[in-house]
Amino acid sequence: MNNNIVGAIYILKNPSFPDYIKIGYADDVYSRLKQLNDKSAVPFAFRLYAYYKVNHRLEDKAVHDIIDNLNPSLRAKDTIDGKVRKREFFQMTAEDAYDLLRNIAKIHGDEANLVLVEPTAEEAKDEEEATTKGKTSLPKMDWLINQGIINIGDEVYLINHPEEIATIED
């Protein structure tokens, strides 16, 4: 194997997208992280979860292909002006993405090139605050029934899932 490291496949987390992680490639992961965090397009900063040092550029495309072949619905895709955009965001945990990279590193015999990044105390605090900001406590079902807002036999659904209807039984 060529040991000339040229860059890294990275895993990024962002509290703005709690259900997604970003898997990409950069010659310098810390420069890429700074570049992404200099943008004002997202409310919270990206956090480097892990990276895998590689000796060829753009090897993240192979990781994307593996994920797409296993479950294509995990990749963030949208259509803008009739063109499908496949993004580097995947609906999976950072831990699952790390396991994928760990297994790839194991197959290649270069597990030493895999780095799990320990967040600083400040980063952990910032991420905790970001993930709890704006969360509200919804009323409990029993309270809604006791107040007469919802009655036994009523059909209810979540605003985000109107196709899933439930009937209140007790």
Side-chain angles (χ1 to χ4, degrees):
M1 177 176 183
N2 180 354
N3 289 325
N4 296 323
I5 302 299
V6 297
I9 299 169
Y10 57 76
I11 300 169
L12 300 181
K13 294 171 43 174
N14 189 312
S16 304
F17 320 110
D19 296 333
Y20 288 86
I21 49 94
K22 179 172 173 51
I23 299 173
Y25 169 86
D27 292 338
D28 178 333
V29 292
Y30 290 99
S31 292
R32 178 65 174 140
L33 187 62
K34 185 176 185 317
Q35 179 188 39
L36 287 168
N37 287 334
D38 281 347
K39 308 260 189 246
S40 63
V42 293
F44 302 107
F46 284 93
R47 304 277 188 249
L48 182 60
Y49 182 81
Y51 60 95
Y52 176 45
K53 296 180 268 186
V54 294
N55 58 6
H56 294 95
R57 284 191 164 79
L58 302 175
E59 288 191 1
D60 62 319
K61 304 290 185 215
V63 176
H64 298 167
D65 288 345
I66 291 169
I67 296 168
D68 286 342
N69 286 326
L70 292 173
N71 187 345
S73 69
L74 294 177
R75 186 192 284 251
K77 293 180 225 165
D78 63 356
T79 304
I80 301 292
D81 297 327
K83 183 179 178 187
V84 175
R85 298 183 319 155
K86 291 165 90 176
R87 314 302 289 179
E88 291 185 333
F89 289 88
F90 297 87
Q91 191 172 15
M92 61 193 320
T93 66
E95 294 82 5
D96 286 344
Y98 181 78
D99 281 346
L100 178 61
L101 288 186
R102 185 179 49 75
N103 284 312
I104 292 169
K106 187 184 283 187
I107 289 168
H108 288 240
D110 56 3
E111 293 158 281
N113 287 352
L114 186 60
V115 178
L116 182 61
V117 178
E118 188 69 32
T120 65
E122 183 178 344
E123 287 173 335
K125 179 179 172 267
D126 287 348
E127 188 167 341
E128 175 65 25
E129 286 178 8
T131 56
T132 58
K133 250 182 203 170
K135 289 196 175 183
T136 59
S137 177
L138 298 174
K140 303 275 187 212
M141 191 61 68
D142 57 350
W143 182 86
L144 292 170
I145 293 169
N146 289 337
Q147 296 299 311
I149 297 168
I150 293 178
N151 298 302
I152 304 300
D154 284 354
E155 291 185 338
V156 296
Y157 64 90
L158 298 173
I159 291 173
N160 294 342
H161 298 282
E163 73 283 358
E164 297 179 20
I165 299 172
T167 302
I168 304 298
E169 291 187 4
D170 65 20

